[in-house]
């Protein structure tokens, strides 16, 4: 009799919950996705995003895909890249593919880029650079801190930029490439990010804070359940020094396959091109 009463009472509760459009779980229910998600959504988004770069360091490494879309004067181009990155040593390797010329005749070879603290190395740079030589650029001398110049945002710099998050909101739950993620939207301050960044990124972000048209960077970022960035999109705006016009840039970085092996050897001095590079 008691068992029957409990069963009826349980059915009534379930019906009431369904009518209200709620999901009910008894106290102590383990693995409650809804309850866990409510707890995550209640966390301070700004604090969560400030920690996201540290979570990548703990992950060690990953593969990365990049996409950079630039729009100026009615023209829009997209540059794509793919490679690996070591977040502990802050080194990575990307193959960056430039768009074809408008006629579609000029097939561009991928540019190989090596990323390191304070430096960008490029091979197949073209413009008179010998095929067996690398071009080295000090990223602190670039007006964008290499957030744009290389055609791909350094994955760790993209994460460190979130240390400058001033305001952010939790948008909700979604998925990226089949992985469950939490979506956040907000704005970051480049100056604040430079101040709080690791020593390897600080000078580059400081240069970007001075060189961009605005030091405020809107972003959308997607974190997995371990707080690691799976996807981040930044929207930059800088002044084109040659045409004196403002260029709008949307840079997207997709991170996956955490723990992937990374083998990056930076070029020896004898392999670096020291001559003049044509524009």
């Amino acid at each position: 009799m008691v068992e029957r009463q409990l069963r009826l009472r349980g059915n009534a509760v379930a019906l009431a919950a369904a009518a209200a459009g709620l999901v009910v779980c008894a106290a102590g229910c383990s693995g409650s996705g809804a309850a866990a998600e409510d707890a995550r959504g209640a966390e301070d988004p700004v604090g969560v995003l400030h920690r996201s770069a540290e979570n990548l360091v703990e992950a060690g490494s990953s593969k990365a895909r990049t996409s950079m879309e630039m729009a100026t004067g009615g023209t829009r181009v997209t540059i794509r890249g793919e490679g690996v990155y070591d977040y502990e040593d802050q080194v990575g390797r990307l193959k960056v593919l430039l768009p074809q010329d408008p006629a579609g005749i000029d097939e561009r070879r991928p540019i190989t880029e090596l990323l390191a603290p304070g430096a960008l190395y490029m091979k197949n740079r073209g413009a008179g650079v010998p095929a067996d030589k690398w071009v080295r650029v000090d990223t602190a001398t670039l007006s964008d801190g290499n957030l744009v110049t290389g055609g791909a945002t350094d994955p760790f710099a993209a994460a460190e930029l979130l240390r400058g998050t001033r305001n952010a909101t939790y948008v909700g739950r979604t998925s990226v490439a089949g992985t469950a993620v939490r979506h956040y939207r907000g704005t970051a301050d480049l100056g604040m990010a430079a101040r709080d960044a690791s020593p390897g990124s600080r000078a580059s972000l400081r240069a970007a804070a001075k060189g961009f048209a605005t030091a405020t960077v809107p972003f959308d970022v997607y974190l997995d359940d371990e707080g690691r960035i799976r996807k981040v999109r930044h929207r930059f705006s800088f002044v084109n020094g040659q045409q004196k016009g403002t260029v709008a840039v949307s840079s997207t970085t997709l991170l996956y396959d955490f723990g992937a092996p990374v083998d990056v050897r930076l070029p020896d001095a004898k392999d670096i091109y020291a001559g003049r590079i044509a524009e």
Side-chain angles (χ1 to χ4, degrees):
M1 184 67 169
V2 172
E3 182 180 351
R4 182 171 180 274
Q5 289 175 338
L6 289 174
R7 190 183 303 115
L8 290 173
R9 183 180 301 171
N11 290 340
V13 171
L15 288 171
L22 301 174
V23 176
V24 175
C25 180
C29 174
S30 60
S32 171
E37 186 54 32
D38 286 344
R40 291 192 182 100
E43 290 185 71
D44 172 29
V46 173
V48 168
L49 298 179
H50 282 177
R51 296 191 297 270
S52 59
E54 297 167 13
N55 294 334
L56 290 183
V57 174
E58 291 178 6
S61 64
S62 77
K63 294 182 180 179
R65 290 195 186 100
T66 65
S67 174
M68 184 169 288
E69 186 177 87
M70 303 184 182
T72 179
T75 302
R76 189 178 298 272
V77 298
T78 301
I79 303 170
R80 302 188 186 279
E82 187 169 359
V84 292
Y85 200 93
D86 183 324
Y87 302 102
E88 292 181 291
D89 294 334
Q90 295 184 29
V91 295
R93 182 180 62 252
L94 295 174
K95 280 192 178 293
V96 176
L97 187 62
L98 299 177
Q100 290 183 326
D101 67 9
I105 299 172
D106 185 13
E107 185 175 345
R108 308 285 180 89
R109 286 193 303 167
I111 296 174
T112 300
E113 295 187 355
L114 302 182
L115 309 168
L120 166 67
Y121 299 85
M122 295 180 287
K123 199 171 190 179
N124 295 335
R125 171 65 172 76
V129 179
D132 62 339
K133 295 292 184 181
W134 294 84
V135 173
R136 183 189 186 281
V137 179
D138 181 351
T139 54
T141 66
L142 299 172
S143 62
D144 62 275
N146 195 37
L147 293 175
V148 173
T149 292
T153 301
D154 180 309
F156 195 61
E160 293 249 77
L161 205 159
L162 297 179
R163 294 186 191 272
T165 301
R166 285 202 177 276
N167 57 76
T169 57
Y170 172 60
V171 178
R173 194 77 166 172
T174 183
S175 66
V176 170
T179 298
V181 293
R182 286 167 286 137
H183 178 192
Y184 297 88
R185 179 174 294 141
T187 57
D189 182 273
L190 282 163
M192 180 178 169
R195 185 195 68 198
D196 295 339
S198 64
S201 301
R202 197 168 296 150
S204 297
L205 290 174
R206 191 178 294 126
K210 296 177 181 177
F212 277 116
T214 172
T216 301
V217 179
F219 65 81
D220 282 85
V221 63
Y222 303 79
L223 306 183
D224 64 17
D225 288 339
E226 296 181 52
R228 302 173 301 193
I229 296 171
R230 289 290 181 151
K231 179 180 178 181
V232 59
R233 180 184 295 114
H234 297 103
R235 289 173 291 283
F236 304 115
S237 180
F238 69 95
V239 177
N240 186 322
Q242 294 179 337
Q243 300 178 3
K244 305 299 182 183
T246 300
V247 181
V249 179
S250 177
S251 175
T252 302
T253 304
L254 183 69
L255 306 178
Y256 61 103
D257 198 2
F258 287 96
V262 177
D263 183 13
V264 175
R265 281 187 56 188
L266 299 181
D268 295 328
K270 63 182 177 60
D271 296 322
I272 298 175
Y273 181 66
R276 180 182 175 82
I277 301 173
E279 293 296 334

